[in-house]
Amino acid sequence: PDRRVTTPSHAGESIILFRKVTVHPFNMANMAALIVPGTSLGTPMVGRLCQKPGLVSRQLACNPIRNCRLPHVSRANRPRQLKVNAFAGGSFDAAIRENVSAKMERRNVYTGHDWVEHRSSLRFVRHLFSSFSSQTYRALLPAVGFLTFVAALAVHLNTPAGAALLASLPFQFPARLPMTIVNIPAAALSLLLVFRTNASYDRWWEARKLWGLLLNRSRDIVRQSLTYFAPQQTRLKNQFVRYVTAFNYALKVHLRANMNLDEDYRTELTPVLEPNELEAALNDPHPPNHILFVMSQIVQRADLKVIQGARIDENLTTFSDILGASERILRCPIPLPYTRHTSRFLFLWLMTIPFAIVGDCGWLTIPVTAFVATALLGVEDLGVQIEEPFSVLALESICDLAANNNRSMYAQQDRAHLLCENNDQPTRHAHQGVRLKRLTHSY
C-alpha cells in the first residue's frame, strides 16, 4: 500500500516525525485556509495561491515537499485499478494488465554494477536462458502459434494423406512454393523493418533527452529561485520548489496511458501540494499547464529584478517546450499506413516460408518457421513498443531524483549562505591569498 500522507492532520504528524520544527499554534488546515479560502478557478485563485501568509515560522518551510513525503512507492508495487470490459468477460482487462506489467519491467535505471553485468561475456548464456520469461516472446505467442500451425499444415500437405486431401479439392492448391517467392520480397521487407525500428528508436531517444533536460532545468530553476528570492520570502520559496516538483509528477501522469487519470494525479500530487493547491490542479483540464501558470505567478509576486525574472522565465519556457514536445510524441505516432503495411507484409511473408522450405527441411519446417517468426516478429514488436516511449522510460526514477535534489537544495540553503558570508579576519584573507597564488601558479 501507498504510505504517503493525504490529510492535513497527518501532514502535521509527519512534520513532527521527520524533522524538529516550530509551528505557531494553528493546524495545517488553518494554514491552508490562509492561502485559498475557498475560491474558483482562474487568475483570482492563482493570486490567492501565491499570497504571503503571515504567521508561518521559517522552520516549517524547511522542506519543499510539505515535510511529509515518504519514500516513493514505485508503480510496480502499487495496485492498479483498471476498468473491466463487460463485453470481453474480463479478458481485455487481463491483457491490459499483462501489457502494463511488461512495460514496467522495461523501465530500467542502470548503475555502475548494472553496466558491468551488461558488458559481461556471460550475457549470451544469461539472455538465452531468460528467453522463457521474456515478456516480448510471451506477447508473440498467439502470432507465432498461428504460424507454427501453418508450418504444420504445410508439412501435412506434403505427405501422402495431404496429397490425397489436395486431390479431393475442387481447385488446385500448391503444396510447395519456389524459394524465389520468398527471396524477392526479403530485401524490401528488411528495409521496412529497419526504418520502422530506427524511427521508433529516434522517438524513444528524443523523449529521453527531453526528460533529461527537464531534470536539469528543474535543478537549475530551484537553484535560481533559492538564490534570487528575498530571504524573508520563505513561503514563496517553499511553494515554488513544491510546484517545480509537482510539475515533474504531473507531466509523468499526463503522458502515461492510464485508465484512472484523476486517481493517478491525486496519488502523485497529494504528497507534494497543499490540499487547496491539489484541488485547484485537479479541477483544471490540463494540470501541468496549470502548474506552470502558478509558477509564473509566484515569480511575479516575488518582485525580482528584471534580469533575474527573465532567467527564471527562460526555464519556465523550457518546461513549456518540453511539455509540448512530449505531447507531440505522444499524440502523433509513426504514420499508421506504414505500420499496418509493414505488419501485413511481414505476416504474409512468414506464412509463405513453410511452403518454400518444406521440400528441403521436411518436418524441421515447423521449428524453423517458429524460430524465424519469433525473431522477425520480435523486431517488429520492439519497434511498436518503444514507439510510445513514456510507458517504457523510467519516469518515476527521474521524478524522484528531481524531488530529492530539490529537497536537498532547499534544506541546505541556510548552510550555503553561511559558507558565503564575508569574514573580515585578516588571517583568513591572507590564507585565501596564498591559495589563490598557488592556484594561479599551478595553471
Side-chain angles (χ1 to χ4, degrees):
D2 198 338
R3 297 175 57 242
R4 290 178 291 179
V5 180
T6 57
T7 62
S9 61
H10 288 171
E13 295 171 4
S14 297
I15 292 175
I16 298 174
L17 177 62
F18 285 95
R19 190 183 296 274
K20 294 181 179 179
V21 298
T22 304
V23 187
H24 285 277
F26 58 90
N27 57 24
M28 297 289 289
N30 291 335
M31 187 180 72
L34 289 175
I35 306 172
V36 179
T39 58
S40 58
L41 292 174
T43 304
M45 166 170 258
V46 175
R48 293 187 179 94
L49 282 172
C50 303
Q51 286 179 358
K52 304 176 183 179
L55 300 176
V56 180
S57 63
R58 185 170 186 175
Q59 289 87 345
L60 179 62
C62 60
N63 193 327
I65 317 300
R66 289 200 305 169
N67 295 307
C68 63
R69 182 177 179 85
L70 299 181
H72 178 70
V73 179
S74 65
R75 299 179 66 88
N77 296 330
R78 285 207 306 265
R80 290 181 52 83
Q81 298 178 357
L82 299 177
K83 297 179 181 178
V84 177
N85 191 329
F87 299 97
S91 60
F92 179 71
D93 180 63
I96 293 180
R97 290 178 184 274
E98 184 178 356
N99 188 30
V100 170
S101 176
K103 290 184 177 181
M104 286 179 180
E105 290 188 0
R106 300 190 184 103
R107 297 172 191 169
N108 299 323
V109 178
Y110 267 39
T111 60
H113 174 74
D114 296 322
W115 281 111
V116 172
E117 184 180 3
H118 182 74
R119 294 190 296 263
S120 173
S121 59
L122 298 177
R123 64 183 182 274
F124 304 104
V125 179
R126 185 176 67 251
H127 295 165
L128 180 62
F129 282 100
S130 65
S131 301
F132 300 100
S133 60
S134 172
Q135 294 289 343
T136 300
Y137 294 161
R138 290 182 181 179
L140 295 176
L141 279 179
V144 174
F146 177 79
L147 292 172
T148 304
F149 169 76
V150 173
L153 179 62
V155 173
H156 175 70
L157 293 179
N158 283 271
T159 61
L165 177 62
L166 291 177
S168 64
L169 294 178
F171 54 89
Q172 186 177 3
F173 185 85
R176 297 183 184 180
L177 295 175
M179 284 296 299
T180 308
I181 295 180
V182 176
N183 294 333
I184 289 178
L189 180 61
S190 63
L191 291 177
L192 286 174
L193 287 177
V194 169
F195 176 81
R196 181 72 171 80
T197 307
N198 288 344
S200 298
Y201 177 79
D202 289 341
R203 293 166 58 88
W204 179 89
W205 182 237
E206 182 183 1
R208 181 61 186 89
K209 290 191 294 185
L210 288 173
W211 274 80
L213 179 62
L214 177 64
L215 176 61
N216 296 338
R217 292 302 185 182
S218 297
R219 294 165 175 164
D220 191 46
I221 198 171
V222 169
R223 175 190 59 81
Q224 290 175 339
S225 64
L226 297 179
T227 304
Y228 297 159
F229 285 23
Q232 65 273 15
Q233 294 176 330
T234 55
R235 180 61 191 177
L236 282 182
K237 289 182 181 180
N238 181 284
Q239 190 177 28
F240 187 81
V241 176
R242 285 191 291 104
Y243 266 90
V244 172
T245 304
F247 177 77
N248 297 331
Y249 286 104
L251 181 58
K252 181 196 73 172
V253 176
H254 180 68
L255 299 175
R256 289 278 172 83
N258 300 325
M259 288 193 169
N260 273 336
L261 195 60
D262 293 339
E263 180 78 19
D264 289 339
Y265 270 126
R266 188 173 297 276
T267 300
E268 297 291 348
L269 298 182
T270 294
V272 183
L273 299 178
E274 299 290 347
N276 57 297
E277 298 169 342
L278 175 64
E279 295 304 323
L282 295 180
N283 290 331
D284 193 279
H286 198 297
N289 198 37
H290 165 82
I291 293 174
L292 278 178
F293 186 63
V294 174
M295 284 194 286
S296 298
Q297 294 295 318
I298 295 174
V299 174
Q300 182 182 11
R301 289 183 176 274
D303 196 19
L304 304 177
K305 297 180 181 178
V306 176
I307 186 62
Q308 294 174 344
R311 292 290 179 85
I312 295 181
D313 191 68
E314 287 179 2
N315 280 327
L316 292 178
T317 302
T318 303
F319 281 1
S320 181
D321 293 339
I322 293 172
L323 172 61
S326 299
E327 289 178 335
R328 169 176 52 82
I329 296 175
L330 178 67
R331 297 174 180 176
C332 184
I334 295 175
L336 295 180
Y338 187 93
T339 301
R340 293 167 182 165
H341 178 70
T342 304
S343 178
R344 294 164 183 161
F345 188 8
L346 175 60
F347 204 76
L348 290 175
W349 182 80
L350 289 173
M351 290 178 63
T352 63
I353 287 182
F355 297 94
I357 66 176
V358 66
D360 297 328
C361 298
W363 66 269
L364 290 177
T365 301
I366 298 176
V368 169
T369 301
F371 175 78
V372 175
T374 302
L376 295 183
L377 290 179
V379 173
E380 198 271 343
D381 183 70
L382 291 177
V384 172
Q385 295 299 326
I386 66 175
E387 180 184 1
E388 193 276 283
F390 304 109
S391 58
V392 180
L393 290 172
L395 304 186
E396 296 90 352
S397 299
I398 298 176
C399 293
D400 291 343
L401 180 59
N404 292 334
N405 292 337
N406 296 345
R407 184 187 302 111
S408 176
M409 282 189 287
Y410 193 93
Q412 297 297 325
Q413 58 178 321
D414 292 336
R415 182 178 298 179
H417 291 161
L418 291 176
L419 291 175
C420 298
E421 284 183 350
N422 294 326
N423 195 325
D424 295 332
Q425 296 180 2
T427 56
R428 179 176 177 181
H429 285 296
H431 180 64
Q432 291 177 349
V434 172
R435 291 184 60 186
L436 183 60
K437 283 185 178 180
R438 290 177 180 174
L439 184 62
T440 306
H441 179 70
S442 64
Y443 279 102

